[in-house]
Amino acid sequence: MKKPEMIIFDNGHTLLYEPDWNTERGNRAVFAHIVKNPNGVTVGEYAKICSEVFGKMEDIRKTQNCDIPARTGHKIIDDLLNIEFSLAPTEREIVFWTAASSGAVMPYADRMLDRLNENGIRTAVISNLAWSGEALTERLDRLLPNNKFEFVITSSDYMYRKPSRVLFDIALNKAGLAADKVWYCGNSITADIEGAHGAGIFPVLYEGETPGDINPYSGQNDGIKVDFEYLHIHDWRELIDVLEKIPR
């Protein structure tokens, strides 16, 4: 095991999580910015069509393993209902996401990133996500203000979803590094561990918990066998301990 020059992270339940998620609250926050509504669409009608459109998009994600940007869904919804909002596409993502859940930091993720920064280990993010990289960057910067992420990649910006190696190869190109100089940390064996390994990147499986939170990914790795080397941790302090024991 070699000390990495860069560590790339997943986002959801790896760096951040979303306690007290409430879709209705997010829809109402967006609807407050409506500027054109000739047919008198109500917030309930808006929420219903949102659920239908994004439900169909989710079916495509599951069956095709590709992402459609949330902003495409928003355009479909607005044109079907003949409504307009004062928000730019990224602003709309942020307004909904922040209202649905303001987000929270996984335990010790902030301290772990501080230690990586102190030791000159570069960092970045790759996330399977319908939101844009710009929206995720805003969230990361707000909740992890000391981060030094060199880039933030979301699948909706590129269509491909992990475990496709396309996102990992793009990240390596952005970093200007060979795969053997990079580690990737995520909470899914299929998307993160197998995806990183397929691109030649050393994988780290992180399965951390948050007190009182309902983990939507609980059990996702049950029964999945892995026949290659990877690091398995349950606390970000473990990652620091491992790195400090690797000789330079």
Side-chain angles (χ1 to χ4, degrees):
M1 187 183 295
K2 296 192 300 183
K3 185 167 290 189
E5 293 186 20
M6 170 178 271
I7 300 179
I8 305 176
F9 296 89
D10 175 41
N11 174 59
H13 261 264
T14 300
L15 293 174
L16 306 178
Y17 69 109
E18 297 171 344
D20 190 32
W21 179 272
N22 187 303
T23 301
E24 179 182 355
R25 192 167 56 221
N27 285 332
R28 288 187 177 277
V30 171
F31 203 77
H33 295 270
I34 199 165
V35 293
K36 175 187 173 184
N37 188 8
N39 299 322
V41 173
T42 67
V43 66
E45 292 167 333
Y46 171 75
K48 182 175 183 293
I49 195 70
C50 284
S51 178
E52 292 173 358
V53 169
F54 282 100
K56 291 176 181 176
M57 289 168 58
E58 183 63 23
D59 290 341
I60 292 172
R61 289 191 192 101
K62 290 178 179 177
T63 58
Q64 304 297 320
N65 199 43
C66 64
D67 247 322
I68 302 171
R71 59 187 59 187
T72 299
H74 291 155
K75 182 171 177 58
I76 293 170
I77 292 160
D78 295 355
D79 289 351
L80 284 173
L81 297 176
N82 193 27
I83 57 178
E84 290 182 8
F85 294 88
S86 61
L87 302 167
T90 301
E91 291 175 326
R92 184 167 173 176
E93 294 176 311
I94 294 170
V95 166
F96 173 87
W97 200 1
T98 304
S101 174
S102 59
V105 177
M106 290 298 289
Y108 305 106
D110 47 356
R111 297 187 195 179
M112 175 270 297
L113 290 172
D114 286 344
R115 188 67 65 87
L116 296 183
N117 292 339
E118 292 167 4
N119 286 277
I121 297 177
R122 300 160 60 188
T123 56
V125 174
I126 303 175
S127 178
N128 280 352
L129 196 63
W131 308 122
S132 65
E134 291 90 346
L136 178 54
T137 296
E138 185 278 338
R139 199 170 186 84
L140 290 165
D141 288 347
R142 174 168 56 83
L143 294 170
L144 294 167
N146 294 330
N147 84 76
K148 294 184 179 180
F149 298 132
E150 295 185 14
F151 52 84
V152 174
I153 291 173
T154 64
S155 54
S156 63
D157 285 342
Y158 292 94
M159 183 183 74
Y160 293 95
R161 286 171 61 85
K162 298 172 297 182
S164 170
R165 69 173 292 163
V166 171
L167 298 182
F168 295 100
D169 286 341
I170 289 171
L172 293 174
N173 287 339
K174 286 179 175 291
L177 291 171
D180 64 354
K181 298 183 182 299
V182 179
W183 288 10
Y184 183 82
C185 301
N187 67 333
S188 165
I189 288 179
T190 300
D192 300 319
I193 303 312
E194 294 179 352
H197 176 74
I201 296 170
F202 182 74
V204 179
L205 177 63
Y206 166 76
E207 292 187 300
E209 294 295 336
T210 53
D213 178 52
I214 298 174
N215 184 349
Y217 305 104
S218 179
Q220 68 174 340
N221 299 318
D222 292 351
I224 302 176
K225 305 294 184 182
V226 176
D227 61 359
F228 51 81
E229 183 185 7
Y230 70 101
L231 177 65
H232 189 184
I233 60 175
H234 296 84
D235 187 305
W236 284 125
R237 292 171 294 184
E238 293 179 54
L239 180 67
I240 296 303
D241 290 342
V242 169
L243 289 169
E244 290 182 348
K245 291 175 183 176
I246 300 174
R248 291 188 176 276

